[in-house]
Structures are given as C-alpha cells and as structure tokens.
Amino acid sequence: MTKNILIVGVGGQGTLLTGRIIGNYALSKDYDVKMSEVHGMSQRGGSVVMQVKYGDTVYSPLVELGEADIIFAFEKLEALRYLPFLKEDGVLIANTQEIDPMPVVMGVEPYPVNIEETLKASCKNLCLMDALSIAEELGSVRVVNMIMIGAYAAYIGDDIKEWEELVEKTVPPHTIEMNKEAVRRGYAAYQNK
C-alpha cells in the first residue's frame, strides 16, 4: 500500500523541509520513497508544493487529483486550493494562518472568505489548528511546519520520540530544541482537538 502525501504552503514556511523529514521517516521504515517539489513563485510569497509518496514500491512521485491520503496545508487558502487532491476519506491537517497572495497584496482581489466553513463542509477528516499561535508562543513563527509534523505523528499514532530524533538529524544544531518542542506541541494539539 502506498501513502500519498501533499505538503502545501507559501514560500518560507518550511514546506520542503517538512517533505524531507517525512521522506526520512519513510526511509527509516524501509519504504520506497519518491518526492517531487514545485517552487513556483515561492521567493515572492507564492505557492510551494511538496509531494511525498512511500510504500513497498513507488513508481512515480506525483500525487494526482483525488489521490492524496494526507494533505498538510501551512496556510488555509493553500488548503482550499489543493483540496481537490484529497481522497474522499483522506485527512487534511490545516493551519488557520492567512498569508495574502499577490493579487490581495496588490489590491486586485480580496482574501477569500468562509474558507474554514468550506473545508469543514468538504472534508470528512479535518484537523484545523492555529499552528501560528503555538509557534508565536514558542518564540519563532518558523516552527509552524514542525507543529504540523507533530500533528501528523499524533494522527498516525507514532511515538513522539521517533519524530524528535528525525528532527534532530535534519535541522541546524542551534534550532534543535525549539523544533523538538514544536513537534511536541503539535502532537499535543492534535490529540486535544
């Protein structure tokens, strides 16, 4: 059986790092892993997409419409944008943060309203979380992705220690403790949802 994971966000939110950590998790379980990334206009706050597939044998890294078992969305408009990729029984773990896309910044379009209501109505397995507030409590908005990884670890029922070890092997040494705490906080937030 293959797991199809889509990780979506805005440039600078750690989408690619998250994909590497999940890929390393799958490799540690002796799965075949394929990954693909699309940067788009990430340098200017644009969409970033990371696709991770793992299983006994994986032939392509691409996640097609309606195939994603799990979508991580680090920003709620990105959650809405990629919702068609989610399987009917798939899981959406979405941060409630709003980051204005370029048309909103330029005043051409308003930020869409009622996104959370649309996600709730469209997704059977939804975990909305305010990962940004948790990250701010920890002192760095850069750990939103680690909070989401913690939520994923809780969702799949893994031991948090295993994920802390993966994070420790992946992030710069001076950020290890904050990132591990972010994973723990995301794990607890998912369990208490």
Side-chain angles (χ1 to χ4, degrees):
M1 186 168 129
T2 301
K3 280 286 184 197
N4 300 305
I5 301 173
L6 206 59
I7 306 161
V8 299
V10 173
Q13 288 192 291
T15 306
L16 303 180
L17 176 61
T18 302
R20 282 196 302 274
I21 290 171
I22 292 172
N24 287 340
Y25 163 80
L27 286 171
S28 76
K29 302 291 185 189
D30 294 324
Y31 287 118
D32 184 18
V33 180
K34 301 283 188 287
M35 298 188 293
S36 175
E37 56 193 60
V38 178
H39 298 266
M41 295 289 289
S42 61
Q43 295 286 331
R44 292 179 169 72
S47 185
V48 179
V49 181
M50 183 79 173
Q51 299 173 67
V52 180
K53 291 177 89 169
Y54 67 86
D56 294 329
T57 304
V58 178
Y59 297 103
S60 167
L62 301 180
V63 178
E64 302 291 336
L65 287 171
E67 280 190 353
D69 295 293
I70 300 158
I71 296 178
F72 287 90
F74 298 151
E75 196 275 345
K76 69 181 178 182
L77 181 56
E78 295 300 311
L80 182 63
R81 184 186 325 261
Y82 288 96
L83 188 60
F85 285 85
L86 192 64
K87 283 182 176 176
E88 187 175 330
D89 61 344
V91 175
L92 173 59
I93 301 173
N95 183 14
T96 57
Q97 183 177 0
E98 294 180 8
I99 298 175
D100 290 342
M102 200 51 67
V104 175
V105 171
M106 294 171 45
V108 177
E109 296 283 337
Y111 191 92
V113 295
N114 301 324
I115 291 175
E116 290 182 31
E117 291 77 8
T118 302
L119 294 175
K120 288 174 185 174
S122 304
C123 185
K124 293 178 189 174
N125 302 307
L126 174 65
C127 174
L128 282 173
M129 59 190 308
D130 187 356
L132 179 61
S133 290
I134 298 169
E136 288 171 341
E137 288 173 16
L138 292 172
S140 176
V141 298
R142 297 181 60 94
V143 296
V144 162
N145 60 335
M146 296 299 161
I147 293 163
M148 304 292 282
I149 286 173
Y152 176 66
Y155 160 70
I156 62 175
D158 261 3
D159 180 2
I160 191 70
K161 297 292 183 201
E162 186 173 358
W163 288 88
E164 289 176 354
E165 289 170 13
L166 286 167
V167 167
E168 190 168 335
K169 292 175 186 175
T170 311
V171 301
H174 68 282
T175 68
I176 288 172
E177 288 311 313
M178 180 176 287
N179 280 297
K180 285 168 63 175
E181 179 60 23
V183 170
R184 288 189 288 269
R185 294 286 298 274
Y187 194 91
Y190 186 87
Q191 289 184 316
N192 297 324
K193 69 174 180 57

